[in-house]
């Protein structure tokens, strides 16, 4: 499971999101959950329609979204946290794996 912390107002996020979308379309066996830092639910929805892949999202500014940000110590975005199904952290730097490896190699390394 990949937790993607991002927002439309963030230029590095807008650069990374299309890469993540392409990555997601090439792999199997992973699911992405978007946690927004957008200024409003409307901004979040617009960002998802404009740039995102067909993945899940936590409701904007919800307790769950805030809990996940705290749990994984998110202080900057974009952040991509890779976890096992039981919640064990594989890496908090999934972004560099997505940008620096082939999709198949990144997933293989995460599952190793």
């Amino acid at each position: 499971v990949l937790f993607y912390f991002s927002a439309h107002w963030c230029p590095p996020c807008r650069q990374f999101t299309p890469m993540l979308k392409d990555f997601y379309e090439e792999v199997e066996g992973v699911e992405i959950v978007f946690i927004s830092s957008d200024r409003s639910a409307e901004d979040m929805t617009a960002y998802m329609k404009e740039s995102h892949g067909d993945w899940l999202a936590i409701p904007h500014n919800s307790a769950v979204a805030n809990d996940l940000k705290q749990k994984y110590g998110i202080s900057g975005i974009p952040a991509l946290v890779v976890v096992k199904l039981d919640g064990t952290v594989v890496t908090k730097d999934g972004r560099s794996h997505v940008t620096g490896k082939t999709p198949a190699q990144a997933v293989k390394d995460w599952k190793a």
Side-chain angles (χ1 to χ4, degrees), residues 7 24-25 32 36 38 40 42-43 48 58 61 63 65 77-79 86 91-92 94 97 99 110:
Y24 182 69
E25 290 171 354
I32 296 174
S36 173
D38 284 299
S40 69
E42 293 79 17
D43 288 353
M48 291 181 69
I58 301 293
N61 206 25
I77 55 174
D86 67 3
T91 181
K92 289 186 177 183
H97 295 223
T99 59
W110 294 336

Side-chain angles (χ1 to χ4, degrees), residues 28-102:
E28 291 183 9
V30 298
E31 200 54 66
I32 296 174
V33 180
F34 172 53
I35 299 93
S36 173
S37 290
D38 284 299
R39 293 185 177 101
S40 69
E42 293 79 17
D43 288 353
M44 173 184 163
T45 301
Y47 182 34
M48 291 181 69
K49 287 180 180 175
E50 173 187 306
S51 306
H52 285 223
D54 184 22
W55 52 64
L56 305 169
I58 301 293
H60 182 266
N61 206 25
S62 65
V64 172
N66 293 327
D67 288 349
L68 287 168
K69 290 174 188 177
Q70 283 188 341
K71 177 176 182 166
Y72 296 113
I74 304 303
S75 58
I77 55 174
L80 187 67
V81 178
V82 181
V83 299
K84 295 180 181 178
L85 289 178
D86 67 3
T88 306
V89 174
V90 175
T91 181
K92 289 186 177 183
D93 191 24
R95 180 181 173 198
S96 70
H97 295 223
V98 169
T99 59
K101 300 179 180 183
T102 66

